[in-house]
Structures are given as structure tokens and as C-alpha cells.
Amino acid sequence: MSKIRAAITGVGGYMPDYILTNEELSTMVDTNDEWITTRTGIKERRILKGEGKGTSDMADKAVLQLLEKTKTNPEDVELLICATVTPDHVFPATANLIAAKTGLVNAFNYDIGAACSGFIYALSTGAAFIESGRYKKVIVVGADKMSSIIDYTDRTTCIIFGDGAGAVMLEPTTEEMGIIDFIHKSDGCGVDYLHMKAGGSRYPASEETVRNREHFVYQDGKTVFKFAVNNMADYAVKIMERNNLTGDDVDWLVAHQANKRIIDATRSKMGLDEKKVLMNIERYGNTTSATIPSLLWDYEKQLKKGDNIIMAAFGGGFTWGAIYLKWAYDTK
Ligand code: UT7
């Protein structure tokens, strides 16, 4: 019997309307368009506005679009996994809320928290359910409302992050398509360099944690940069070597959008032409769990059945890794 693989059979996405430009940020903190563009590649990012709106208010739109595009009956979806670091609540899981809003009445669903590697971790997890032969329709979402945990008086972080959501459908195939291989790694040493200190069980919210601005992202940018640039590039190359792929065999690099310089270094180590790198960091910034699915969403029409794709990510934890997949459809 031929092996069952998990193929991405559709993509949905949602980006909020409000555009926060480098120009507007330079009226809020001591920064400028030239610094942000040369150091990160970011020009603007999207911000979810509105009282009482959370990550699920973007993810539900991405999932509804995905259901429509793939002509899927919501009752047929068996599992939804949501990668996020900005859940609507500590509990219940944001995946539970997304499923309720989109009519996935028969799906079980849960969140995965692996910071900027969340989507690739969730994708390989979802794929394993399909490969087991037991599940036929799994939705994997990457969504974050980063603006809810960003300190807009801290120029070292507020210029980087944005809000957004993306979602993919996974279904079984016996063709040589879909998720072929993955390597995931984690190292808890990263907590000192990239974290949100308070609001969890270690430092529950108090007047003091609020006063100390500890409910915001803290990042030691230089240290994270060094870890990110080495690990993302090394693991993208490792997965290529393991699957006997050269730069010529790879059609697309779909990398976490944290910093254009990190993506350029990864591309160069992989021996790829610049035209093979999907980029949207200039328009959305770093949307954490949503960067990779939003790239698939933006570039879906350019992806062809059989294209070799390398996904690569690095994030808080530290967490990192790479996925090798073959794109499974042509967009009509
Ligand atoms: O997605 C999760 C993983 N995260 C990442 O992969 C992010 C990794 N880190 C980075 O992308 C970069 O380190 C940053 C974009 C965060 C920072 O870029 P950098 O080239 O590492 O800058 P830096 O922190 O070394 O700062 C250089 C200078 C400093 O001034 P001095 O000390 O040289 O006088 C900063 O104070 O730039 C200053 N600076 C700024 N200036 C204008 C820092 N932020 C800003 C700013 N505008 N927004």
C-alpha cells in the first residue's frame, strides 16, 4: 500500500485594515523610515483595531475564507490546530473559539505555543494526524495579535511586529506530494533573550507587573539575531541535504519574516536565487505565527503542483526548524 502523506489543499488569510507605517511610528518613538528599512526590511504592518477584538477575530476570517475556497463543509473538518502566542484568553484555547465561530462542530481543536516557529510545529503536528490514516480534514491556523503585547514606547520592538492570520487545509494524498520531511528543535535557554515576563503562572498580573511594563515583549535583539541567523540557515540546509536537494532543486523558500537580513543569509547559505524567496515582511512586519501561512496566501497563484518548498522558522523559546514539502495543486 502506498504511503499516505498530508498535502496542503487550500490557503486562507486575513490582514486587518489599519496600516501602521514607518512614518507614523516615527511620530511615536525615536526612529525613522531609513533605520527600520535598512535594519529589518519593514515598511508597514497591520494592526487590529477595535475594543474586545482578539486573535480569533482574524483567524475566524482566514478559516471561513479557507472553507469557501476549498468548498469544504465545516461539519467535515475533524481537527483545527491554532499556533499563537497571543491567545484571546489564557484558556479556553483560541482554537476552541475559532472552531465555534466557523461552524466546525465536529472538530476537536487546541493551541500550540511555539512563538515564531508555531506554524511549522503545528503544520507537522497536523500532518501526523493525516498520515496516521485516521483523519481526512485538518485545518492549521497561524494567528497573532502582536499589537496586544507590544510596548509602543519601546523602539527596539514596536517597529518589528504586526497582526494577522493565515490558515491551511491538510488532506491525505497517496501521490508523492505534501509534507515530505521536517526537523524541529527547541532550547529553553532562549527565555532570557525573548519573552513576555508577566501574566503567566510565574509572575501573575499585579499592579507591580503592570507598573513595570512586564506584560510586553522583551527582546535582546542582537543575541536573538545571532541565534536566528545561524539556526534558520543551518536547518534549512540540513533538510535540503537530508533530501538530496540542491539550490537548483528548491523552487521556493518560505521563511519566517522576522528580519530581511536573516532571510537573505538563509537564502545565501541554501544557494538559492533571490527570485525563489517569498517575502511580505515589507507590508506586514513580523506577525509571529502568521508569517508563513500569510506568504502562502499572498503567493498562492505562483505556486505550482510539484514545486519543492522549504519552510524555515526561528523564534522565542528558542524554537526553530524546517519543513520540506511538495506543493500539491495549481490555482485555477
Ligand atoms: O521573530 C522572532 C525572532 N526574532 C528575531 O529574529 C529578531 C532578531 N533581531 C533583529 O532582527 C535585530 O536585532 C533588530 C531589528 C531587533 C535590531 O537590529 P540591530 O541591527 O541588531 O540593531 P541593534 O539592536 O544593534 O541597535 C543598533 C543601534 C543602537 O544604537 P547605538 O547603541 O548603536 O547607539 C540602538 O539603540 O540602533 C538603535 N536602535 C534604533 N534606532 C532607530 C534600536 N532600535 C532603533 C529604532 N530606530 N527603532
Side-chain angles (χ1 to χ4, degrees), residues 31 35 39 116 155 219 221-222 256 258-259 261-262 286:
T31 191
W35 192 97
R39 297 291 176 125
C116 295
R155 69 175 182 169
Q219 176 170 256
K222 259 192 194 343
H256 172 55
N259 187 315
R261 289 182 290 146
I262 299 174
N286 180 349

Side-chain angles (χ1 to χ4, degrees), residues 136-190:
K136 304 276 184 292
K137 284 190 193 297
V138 172
I139 292 179
V140 179
V141 180
D144 271 302
K145 184 187 170 188
M146 293 305 292
S147 60
S148 65
I149 55 169
I150 292 300
D151 180 351
Y152 286 94
T153 66
D154 175 6
R155 69 175 182 169
T156 69
T157 50
C158 74
I159 53 125
I160 298 171
F161 293 97
D163 303 338
V168 301
M169 181 73 75
L170 287 175
E171 292 181 84
T173 178
T174 48
E175 286 187 279
E176 187 69 12
M177 296 284 154
I179 316 296
I180 309 285
D181 194 12
F182 69 88
I183 311 175
H184 294 330
K185 304 289 283 182
S186 315
D187 184 344
C189 80

Side-chain angles (χ1 to χ4, degrees), residues 90 131 252 315:
V90 172
E131 288 159 8
W252 306 107

Side-chain angles (χ1 to χ4, degrees), residues 13-324:
Y14 176 78
M15 289 290 160
D17 294 335
Y18 190 85
I19 299 174
L20 176 58
T21 61
N22 289 351
E23 285 69 29
E24 186 176 353
L25 274 170
S26 56
T27 67
M28 296 155 65
V29 288
D30 181 14
T31 191
N32 56 74
D33 176 53
E34 204 259 326
W35 192 97
I36 302 171
T37 307
T38 53
R39 297 291 176 125
T40 69
I42 303 167
K43 284 285 188 190
E44 55 191 43
R45 57 297 285 142
R46 300 300 179 97
I47 303 295
L48 181 65
K49 297 274 186 184
E51 190 77 13
K53 287 207 189 300
T55 294
S56 74
D57 295 292
M58 298 182 288
D60 62 349
K61 294 175 183 64
V63 169
L64 287 173
Q65 187 186 71
L66 175 68
L67 293 169
E68 195 194 315
K69 280 171 72 177
T70 55
K71 299 188 173 44
T72 302
N73 178 352
E75 293 177 11
D76 293 340
V77 177
E78 298 157 294
L79 165 64
L80 178 143
I81 304 174
C82 177
T84 188
V85 288
T86 50
D88 285 26
H89 307 279
V90 172
F91 75 92
T94 300
N96 302 154
L97 307 184
I98 300 166
K101 288 177 182 191
T102 55
L104 308 188
V105 288
N106 294 316
F108 76 105
N109 29 76
Y110 58 88
D111 291 352
I112 281 187
C116 295
S117 308
F119 184 78
I120 61 165
Y121 276 34
L123 189 63
S124 50
T125 306
F129 280 94
I130 299 278
E131 288 159 8
S132 75
R134 216 171 137 175
Y135 295 86
K136 304 276 184 292
K137 284 190 193 297
V138 172
I139 292 179
V140 179
V141 180
D144 271 302
K145 184 187 170 188
M146 293 305 292
S147 60
S148 65
I149 55 169
I150 292 300
D151 180 351
Y152 286 94
T153 66
D154 175 6
R155 69 175 182 169
T156 69
T157 50
C158 74
I159 53 125
I160 298 171
F161 293 97
D163 303 338
V168 301
M169 181 73 75
L170 287 175
E171 292 181 84
T173 178
T174 48
E175 286 187 279
E176 187 69 12
M177 296 284 154
I179 316 296
I180 309 285
D181 194 12
F182 69 88
I183 311 175
H184 294 330
K185 304 289 283 182
S186 315
D187 184 344
C189 80
V191 66
D192 292 340
Y193 310 110
L194 182 51
H195 60 247
M196 186 176 101
K197 186 172 177 184
S201 55
R202 210 171 176 188
Y203 301 103
S206 67
E207 281 181 24
E208 198 186 344
T209 61
V210 171
R211 205 167 35 247
N212 293 341
R213 309 185 79 75
E214 288 167 346
H215 294 270
F216 295 122
V217 170
Y218 164 81
Q219 176 170 256
D220 170 349
K222 259 192 194 343
T223 306
V224 177
F225 188 94
K226 278 185 211 138
F227 275 96
V229 86
N230 289 328
N231 285 310
M232 216 160 93
D234 285 356
Y235 280 79
V237 169
K238 261 193 204 352
I239 204 153
M240 283 171 69
E241 287 172 354
R242 200 154 99 168
N243 290 279
N244 301 314
L245 298 170
T246 66
D248 289 340
D249 301 320
V250 174
D251 295 291
W252 306 107
L253 168 63
V254 183
H256 172 55
Q257 307 281 290
N259 187 315
K260 186 174 181 300
R261 289 182 290 146
I262 299 174
I263 302 164
D264 286 344
T266 303
R267 173 193 66 75
S268 157
K269 204 154 184 184
M270 293 167 75
L272 286 197
D273 192 276
E274 223 166 310
K275 284 192 237 92
K276 293 182 170 182
V277 183
L278 304 192
M279 286 275 203
N280 60 16
I281 191 170
E282 69 287 354
R283 284 177 291 136
Y284 304 145
N286 180 349
T287 54
T288 302
S289 310
T291 56
I292 289 180
S294 76
L295 284 169
L296 299 177
W297 182 58
D298 273 350
Y299 288 88
E300 187 186 19
K301 286 201 178 84
Q302 273 161 255
L303 308 177
K304 298 275 166 275
K305 186 170 178 178
D307 280 357
N308 283 321
I309 295 180
I310 300 290
M311 292 178 172
F314 182 90
F318 294 127
T319 55
W320 68 98
I323 293 183
Y324 165 39

